[in-house]
Amino acid sequence: MMRTRPLKVALLGCGVVGSEVARIMTTHADDLAARIGAPVELAGVAVRRPDKVRGGIPAELITTDATALVKRGDIDVVVEVIGGIEPARALITTAFEHGASVVSANKALLAQDGATLYAAAQQHGQDLYYEAAVAGAIPLIRPLRESLAGDKINRVMGIVNGTTNFILDKMDTSGAGYSEALDEATALGYAEADPTADVEGFDAAAKAAILAGIAFHTRVRLDDVYREGMTEVTAADFASAKRMGCTIKLLAICERAADGESVTARVHPAMIPLSHPLASVREAYNAVFVEADAAGQLMFYGPGAGGAPTASAVLGDLVAVCRNKLNEANGPGESAYTQLPVSPMGDVVTRYHISLDVADKPGVLAQVATVFAEHGVSIDTVRQQGKDGEASLVVVTHRAPDAALSGTVEALRKLDTVRGVASIMRVEGE
């Protein structure tokens, strides 16, 4: 039998995502009630600009006092989609203190201070759900937290930012340069006026921190994630990738060390073979590849941003949290029992693609090969082209620690025959 008293929901933020959440709550009210076992009622909407027209939301629900809204005491669930660190953190912890569970899409806050939020939720017996914080509409957080809770996850690797994937895809398929592809992404609404958070990897790094924490049952903060943007990727890099049967993606990679005693989390551009499932992810789509002991290889794919897709993830969490409220139960909290250290980037072992500008004369290749050997980096293949006294040398290594590669590059720069290092890119997915 359905409970007649509605569960009351407070919405913090009514922008692109928040307005879609409100719309779906209204238009799908009967379906949501049937799935939850009780009606849900939008009890208040906190905004910064109260005079803005918001279709479908009664004016009496609009408020600029978010703190008063979450302190009301009759609110069952707070949906936070305002983003940023403050006042979001204070509002979420206040909601817990006043008996409300929280559904959030705030990747930055969760990556920077998720432990505080988890602790407050546990202290007050409330839920913290955040499916929408990573990869938009793609069901990913809940499978990692619940469906794979009995398995051992060893690696999570994915495309978790649609803007960067759109830009790199256009560079790959059309031959456009970075600036041209960025302009197209901006014109189509895929890139913000200031795209720094996306193209420099900050957005993906926050998501990597969240994914690593869940996958490896350890606390991983944003500061633990190695980050490298994709603004230096060139058409020449794509040409080299194609010669290797690869393409280039900005990847978030979270790995458990082979001995199981540490983890790493990193974001950077990488060449991946065209045979890898992530290579075929086009335009602004996201995809995450998971490797686990028992389940094997799994891939999650779909739209990773946008109002409606992100709202879909928010509403999925809202249904789950409301069901828990009715059953007087709680969903999974923080799982950080392993307390594994996060290793620095220098310990990461991978392959590398290195392009060098060198003098076109005898003995250059031997000098370069000697430097690689002296630093313990084994060469897989070499390609050399020369003309009019100048040449390019492309070296692909076997797997080696990042620290060894860094030392190699530093030594190469000191050779008189090396004019410059044109590009360095990791090779993943093999």
Side-chain angles (χ1 to χ4, degrees):
M1 180 179 296
M2 182 179 295
R3 193 182 83 167
T4 57
R5 186 179 72 80
L7 291 157
K8 294 189 177 183
V9 178
L11 178 60
L12 308 183
C14 197
V16 173
V17 176
S19 60
E20 279 295 307
V21 170
R23 182 188 66 79
I24 295 172
M25 285 186 64
T26 301
T27 58
H28 295 185
D30 291 342
D31 287 337
L32 291 173
R35 295 166 191 169
I36 292 169
V40 287
E41 173 188 318
L42 188 59
V45 181
V47 300
R48 286 185 298 175
R49 297 186 295 274
D51 297 332
K52 182 179 178 180
V53 176
R54 295 176 172 85
I57 301 178
E60 62 268 20
L61 295 184
I62 302 294
T63 179
T64 58
D65 194 343
T67 301
L69 178 60
V70 299
K71 283 184 173 181
R72 275 178 34 174
D74 63 337
I75 300 296
D76 296 289
V77 184
V78 170
V79 174
E80 183 270 310
V81 288
I82 57 177
I85 306 303
E86 293 293 356
R89 175 168 46 199
L91 290 170
I92 289 173
T93 55
T94 300
F96 291 142
E97 292 167 3
H98 288 77
S101 289
V102 173
V103 172
S104 176
N106 196 330
K107 55 185 173 288
L109 177 55
L110 287 159
Q112 181 169 311
D113 199 16
T116 295
L117 303 186
Y118 272 124
Q122 182 178 13
Q123 179 183 354
H124 298 285
Q126 303 300 323
D127 277 332
L128 173 63
Y129 276 55
Y130 47 91
E131 185 68 63
V134 181
I138 305 172
L140 180 60
I141 300 299
R142 198 168 302 144
L144 292 177
R145 290 175 79 181
E146 300 178 32
S147 303
L148 295 174
D151 208 340
K152 179 184 178 183
I153 297 173
N154 297 308
R155 197 172 201 235
V156 179
M157 180 171 76
I159 299 162
V160 295
N161 183 277
T163 299
T164 54
N165 199 58
F166 180 90
I167 292 170
L168 292 173
D169 182 51
K170 289 303 175 184
M171 293 177 69
D172 184 24
T173 57
S174 71
Y178 168 76
S179 296
E180 183 182 351
L182 174 59
D183 288 344
E184 183 176 354
T186 304
L188 293 173
Y190 292 125
E192 301 287 345
D194 179 1
T196 302
D198 295 322
V199 300
E200 293 295 351
F202 291 100
D203 175 83
K207 296 169 182 176
I210 294 169
L211 292 175
I214 298 170
F216 306 133
H217 304 281
T218 198
R219 285 181 179 168
V220 180
R221 299 180 71 251
L222 181 58
D223 292 344
D224 296 322
V225 181
Y226 172 83
R227 177 193 55 78
E228 187 179 314
M230 42 77 71
T231 57
E232 301 301 318
V233 177
T234 66
D237 292 326
F238 274 101
S240 292
K242 287 181 179 180
R243 282 192 285 267
M244 291 178 58
C246 294
T247 188
I248 299 171
K249 300 292 186 182
L250 184 74
L251 298 178
I253 304 171
C254 312
E255 292 180 305
R256 188 190 300 270
D259 61 8
E261 297 301 315
S262 64
V263 299
T264 59
R266 50 197 166 101
V267 169
H268 54 72
M271 294 182 179
I272 57 173
L274 294 175
S275 59
H276 194 283
L278 290 176
S280 62
V281 178
R282 301 288 309 280
E283 298 197 335
Y285 276 76
N286 284 193
V288 177
F289 198 73
V290 178
E291 298 177 29
D293 272 1
Q297 298 179 333
L298 307 170
M299 184 157 131
F300 301 83
Y301 169 85
T310 306
S312 171
V314 170
L315 268 296
D317 278 351
L318 179 63
V319 169
V321 169
C322 286
R323 287 172 175 169
N324 290 344
K325 283 283 184 179
L326 289 180
N327 293 324
E328 297 182 347
N330 290 114
E334 182 183 29
S335 178
Y337 70 92
T338 63
Q339 298 182 349
L340 295 173
V342 182
S343 296
M345 187 63 190
D347 292 347
V348 171
V349 176
T350 188
R351 297 180 67 204
Y352 300 87
H353 176 282
I354 305 164
S355 296
L356 303 172
D357 295 327
V358 299
D360 185 15
K361 62 182 184 180
V364 173
L365 179 56
Q367 285 184 331
V368 169
T370 298
V371 170
F372 275 89
E374 289 174 346
H375 289 81
V377 180
S378 177
I379 294 175
D380 182 17
T381 63
V382 178
R383 185 178 72 254
Q384 185 173 10
Q385 293 178 324
K387 184 178 180 181
D388 299 329
E390 297 296 329
S392 63
L393 194 64
V394 177
V395 179
V396 179
T397 75
H398 289 291
R399 290 172 60 83
D402 189 85
L405 192 280
S406 297
T408 302
V409 171
E410 184 177 350
L412 287 171
R413 295 184 192 276
K414 296 177 181 179
L415 293 178
D416 293 339
T417 51
V418 174
R419 310 298 193 215
V421 180
S423 71
I424 304 171
M425 191 166 297
R426 295 167 184 85
V427 182
E428 300 284 350
E430 296 184 315

